[in-house]
Amino acid sequence: MSKPFQYTNQACQALEKAISPSRLAKYLSKFDNNRESALKLYHWNSELSQAMTFPLHMLEVCIRNAVSEGIHICFGDQWYSDSGFKFILDDYWEAKLEEAVSKKTQKAVDRSKRLSSGDIISELTFGFWRELLKAEYEKHIWKKLGPSGCAVLLEVFPDLPVGKRRQDIYNNVDRLVKLRNRISHHEPIYERFLQNNYNEAAETIGWISPDTKKWIGCHSNFLDVWSRKSQVIPRRPVEKPKLKQR
């Protein structure tokens, strides 16, 4: 077992320089410029980011597979080159799709391989799959009938509860993409309602695959890390209002 880190003045100054004073400033402001407390908060924030990475990773994989399956149902195996699919995309996302296809086509040629939809799916960003959950794609994808006779939305989100709609999926995914982006840029996330975010990720995954939701719950350490919040950021006592003297 490693020894506890000693937060000497010299060590705190060195850490602040390595992290950068501007980046540590937000943490320092929480503790009246106490470096040791700020650095412990910085470390805990990093632990939170790491703990949220697994559920967010699984969310992205599940969402892109579900959404791409919906596109496949509507536009066929080679949806990525289908003119009808490209037509419903706005200019920005059509350009991103073309860029992904061009890049993966060249790689396939270089390796003497056949281009597959899986190649394209892995190249496109989380933002692309979030985009396709917007309202403007409802009639083109999500309200169309799938192979089983129900809407495509229910084909790929089979456990979506009664009363939940495409907008609910989009809202969850949109919030979680923004959180993932903050984590990837090493930004503070400790002040967010992270337990809500964790629950939203699990809930959304459960609409696609309840077993995957359970699997994540068994292996994620987020709740353990989050439970240490009061140790890192002690609650300040509430001051009682002073009684007016008569």
Side-chain angles (χ1 to χ4, degrees), residues 70-83:
I71 303 169
H72 176 270
I73 291 169
C74 297
F75 297 98
D77 290 343
Q78 296 187 327
W79 53 267
Y80 49 87
S81 59
D82 185 89
S83 58

Side-chain angles (χ1 to χ4, degrees), residues 239-245:
E239 294 184 5
K240 294 181 180 180
K242 294 180 180 179
L243 297 174
K244 292 182 179 179
Q245 294 181 349

Side-chain angles (χ1 to χ4, degrees), residues 30-31 41 44 190-191 228-235:
K30 292 286 292 185
F31 299 104
L41 177 57
W44 184 64
Y190 64 87
E191 290 185 316
R228 302 205 310 269
K229 181 175 183 178
S230 60
Q231 298 172 30
V232 183
I233 312 176
R235 291 182 181 178

Side-chain angles (χ1 to χ4, degrees), residues 12-175:
C12 288
Q13 288 174 9
L15 286 167
E16 182 178 13
K17 182 178 179 181
I19 293 167
S20 86
S22 60
R23 180 171 285 276
L24 196 62
K26 183 174 179 64
Y27 301 87
L28 285 164
S29 67
K30 292 286 292 185
F31 299 104
D32 298 323
N33 292 318
N34 182 295
R35 282 197 184 97
E36 179 177 345
S37 296
L39 288 164
K40 287 179 177 178
L41 177 57
Y42 188 90
H43 176 251
W44 184 64
N45 186 78
S46 299
E47 287 187 289
L48 284 172
S49 298
Q50 186 178 39
M52 280 300 298
T53 296
F54 173 51
L56 290 175
H57 158 82
M58 289 305 304
L59 175 75
E60 180 172 0
V61 169
C62 291
I63 286 294
R64 77 184 190 187
N65 288 340
V67 174
S68 63
E69 183 183 348
I71 303 169
H72 176 270
I73 291 169
C74 297
F75 297 98
D77 290 343
Q78 296 187 327
W79 53 267
Y80 49 87
S81 59
D82 185 89
S83 58
F85 177 59
K86 292 180 183 178
F87 180 75
I88 68 173
L89 296 174
D90 68 21
D91 291 343
Y92 177 83
W93 290 111
E94 183 181 359
K96 289 297 181 183
L97 175 61
E98 294 285 3
E99 185 181 312
V101 171
S102 176
K103 182 177 178 179
K104 286 298 185 177
T105 299
Q106 186 57 55
K107 283 189 175 181
V109 170
D110 292 343
R111 297 175 183 177
S112 300
K113 287 177 61 180
R114 186 178 177 181
L115 184 67
S116 70
S117 61
D119 294 325
I120 308 303
I121 290 168
S122 65
E123 186 65 26
L124 291 164
T125 66
F126 202 173
F128 180 84
W129 307 112
R130 172 187 57 181
E131 170 70 16
L132 292 173
L133 290 167
K134 285 184 175 179
E136 48 262 49
Y137 300 98
E138 190 115 52
K139 68 177 181 179
H140 299 294
I141 302 173
W142 306 116
K143 283 190 174 181
K144 285 192 172 183
L145 294 181
S148 67
C150 67
V152 169
L153 185 71
L154 295 179
E155 293 275 3
V156 300
F157 292 90
D159 280 84
L160 189 68
V162 174
K164 292 290 185 180
R165 304 175 186 278
R166 173 208 50 77
Q167 187 64 45
D168 297 297
I169 302 169
Y170 175 81
N171 290 344
N172 280 4
V173 171
D174 184 52
R175 282 189 290 270

